[in-house]
Every structure is written in structure tokens, then in C-alpha cells.
Amino acid sequence: MEESVQVALGGSLTVPNVQELAKQRLDQIPPRYIRTDQEPPLISADPSLPTIPVIDLQNLLNIRETRGSFSTELERLRSACVNWGFFQLINHGISSVVIEKMKQEVGDFFELPLEEKQRVSQHPNDAEGYGHTHITSHEQKLNWADMLFVTTNPTSAKKPRIYDNLPDSLREAMEVYAAELRAVAMTILEGLAEGLGMTVGEMRELFEDGYEGLRMNYYPPCPRPEVAIGSHAHSDTTGLTILLQVNQTNGLQVRHEGKWVPVKPLPDAFIVNIGDMLEIISNGEYHSVEHRATVNMDDHRITVASFFNPKLAAEIGPARSLIGPGKVPLFERITVEELFRDFFARLIKGKSFVESMRIKV
Ligand SMILES: O=C(O)CCC(=O)C(=O)O
Ligand SMILES: [Fe+2]
């Protein structure tokens, strides 16, 4: 492996392993998992709730080839990102062999004995590895989940302490999956640029050879699903997120018009969402929407979130091709690296990142 230019973007205090905690078959959970800081996670299954839009990537590509006028699928993509910030992606073209292999390997990783998984534990001041997301104080409430976070691009940012200690078969599956998904992400990003009237070249340049990571989330069964949460309400501090649901258990909910809407992944679909950076790049047209993951009593749940960001050294702000006479920038500019560092500082203060970047008028 070539020499690493690594960054440690915010660390996490050590907290108990939730998978091990769940194995004790407690009928109560420790107080730090009782989420008095969150809205109640369970919602009634209201049949009148809307469902997130579905986008067909093949339709989007066909349209591009025929160079049609502003197409229906492109308009649907744009509308999904303006009104929901989320959509399901079907006909994405990634082979089921690649996806099934990834699912199998991720599932197998979490089934390893704790000591094996701890070969890639997070280190103090570095969120990368096996552990938990962003634990910054001993009082902070905790998610009912463990996770493995790995940087997948650029090559120079891959950490030998993680890569050299992952099971070979997981590392291989991850690399193939990440490379295939990168191509899908770029196609979506191009569609997102077209939908805005932003130059496709500007979007490409921002995200080409960008900073990318995979977060594999493991949510064990929980004896108190009505008070615990797998992933607290948050928006993603990313460009684009593409989520793969690994097993059949659902749990993702998206905030839409003030309500929590559950997501039922279609077979072979990915769930895609706009992150904070794209909200800023789109000058507020697209929305980085809050979402959360609930847990349940009987089944564990596994998901893989892939995060696509511009290069750490890139500066983000409203796309230059969107700004002009009568179109003022609504957000400040910031480098991606500053943004990540700022994000961890802000997290402690509980401030929304996108709002903090808004230019005051
Ligand atoms: O597991 C899920 O459904 C959501 C995960 C998520 O929001 C994240 O990893 O950012
Ligand atoms: Fe998320």
C-alpha cells in the first residue's frame, strides 16, 4: 500500500459494544439508550402516508443518449431532490453478484467474534474503524447500533491499520462494490446537475476522485424499541449518500412535510439521498433531509451507507454556473476539509450545518 495521507476527522469516545449488550437478552436497556432527546421512534402505520419517489437509472441514461429535451425521468429526479431529498434507485445496473457478495461479507463481518472485529477498532480521535458514531461526551445519549466506517477513496487516504486488518474477502468485496457504485453516483450527480441547469463539467470536477467512505451499520434487536433508536435524527454531511439494505428488516424513516415516513426498500433498489454539501452546491434547490433508523425487538438490521464527497481540498459553495444576474449565492464557501472539522465542532453544539452556512441578509 502506498504511503497514506490520512486525516483523522473527529474521534469517538469508547462506549459498550451494542451487539454484545443485546446478546445478554436484557428486558431493560441502560439509561443512555433511552432517547428522551428524540421524538418517539415508533409511528403508527398510517396507510395514507406517502412513499419516497422511485427513479429508474436506465431511463435517465436512455434519455441522455437520445439527447431528448428536458425529460420526464430527469424532471422526476429533480422533483424528488427538491421535494423529498430522497429517492429509491432501480435499474442501477450493478450486478446482483457484486451486491450479494457485499451483503454476505458485511453480514459475516458482524458475526465474527468481538476480538476479531476489534482488530479494526476506532482509535481515539479517529472515527474510522469498528465502533460508534461521534461520541463526544460521557453524558451523550447513545444509538442502539455498532458500525464499521472505512474510507474507500482516494487511495492515499486508505488507512493501512484498517485495510491490513480487515478480512481479505470483505476488503475485496468492498473495493469492487465501491468502484461500481462510484460510477452510479457519478451518473446520478450528472443528472442532478442537469436538473439544476448547472454545468455537468462543474459537478464532475467537484466529485471526480472525491473523498468517499462506507459506513456499515449493525442494529441489534432491542428489547425497548419504543424508547431506543438505531440512528438518531440527522441529515448527512455528505455530497450524496447511497444506502444498501443488507437484510430484510426495515427501519429507515425520512422526515417529509413534518411527518416521519417509513421507507420500504424495493427489491434490488438503493436508497439515495442528498447530503448537506449538495444542498449548498445546488444553492438551496435540493434538500438535505433529516432521517433516522428505528430498531425492533425481534430482528437485527444491517445497512451499508456509501458517502460521496468532493475532494478534501475542494472548495464548496453554490455552483458557479448557477450564480449570475438575479441569482445570488445563498451560502458561504468552505473547503471540504474545513467543513468536516467544523462539523465535528458543531455537532457538540447541536447546530445545523447547512443553516450555519447561510449568508445572512
Ligand atoms: O441504516 C439506515 O437506514 C440509515 C443509516 C444512515 O442514515 C447513515 O448511515 O447515515
Ligand atoms: Fe444518514
Side-chain angles (χ1 to χ4, degrees), residues 86 215 217 219 231-238 241 243 252 273 289-293 305 307:
F86 262 85
R215 182 151 88 203
N217 299 303
Y219 308 102
S231 181
H232 63 271
H234 67 282
S235 67
D236 291 346
T237 311
T238 55
T241 302
L243 187 83
L252 177 64
N273 68 284
V289 166
E290 257 193 330
H291 51 283
R292 64 183 187 177
F307 302 122

Side-chain angles (χ1 to χ4, degrees), residues 1-53:
M1 179 160 301
E2 69 185 76
E3 201 190 334
S4 284
V5 184
Q6 298 155 21
V7 274
L9 297 167
S12 212
L13 296 172
T14 308
V15 294
N17 183 276
V18 184
Q19 196 173 351
E20 295 299 313
L21 198 62
K23 281 185 190 157
Q24 296 173 24
R25 306 217 163 271
L26 309 166
D27 38 87
Q28 281 305 322
I29 55 176
R32 285 181 81 187
Y33 299 94
I34 298 180
R35 299 306 294 260
T36 44
D37 61 325
Q38 297 280 307
E39 292 167 42
L42 296 189
I43 50 171
S44 64
D46 177 353
S48 70
L49 281 175
T51 52
I52 66 171

Side-chain angles (χ1 to χ4, degrees), residues 200-274:
V200 170
E202 189 179 2
M203 187 70 102
R204 265 200 162 276
E205 206 173 296
L206 264 173
F207 281 87
E208 219 142 43
D209 205 22
Y211 191 75
E212 297 168 9
L214 278 182
R215 182 151 88 203
M216 294 157 253
N217 299 303
Y218 186 92
Y219 308 102
C222 177
R224 299 288 315 279
E226 74 290 2
V227 292
I229 199 134
S231 181
H232 63 271
H234 67 282
S235 67
D236 291 346
T237 311
T238 55
L240 194 71
T241 302
I242 303 184
L243 187 83
L244 172 69
Q245 169 122 348
V246 171
N247 63 344
Q248 294 306 312
T249 316
N250 295 337
L252 177 64
Q253 295 177 353
V254 173
R255 180 144 9 230
H256 180 67
E257 294 177 352
K259 290 200 172 122
W260 287 108
V261 175
V263 176
K264 286 198 197 82
L266 296 167
D268 304 320
F270 290 118
I271 313 294
V272 182
N273 68 284
I274 299 289

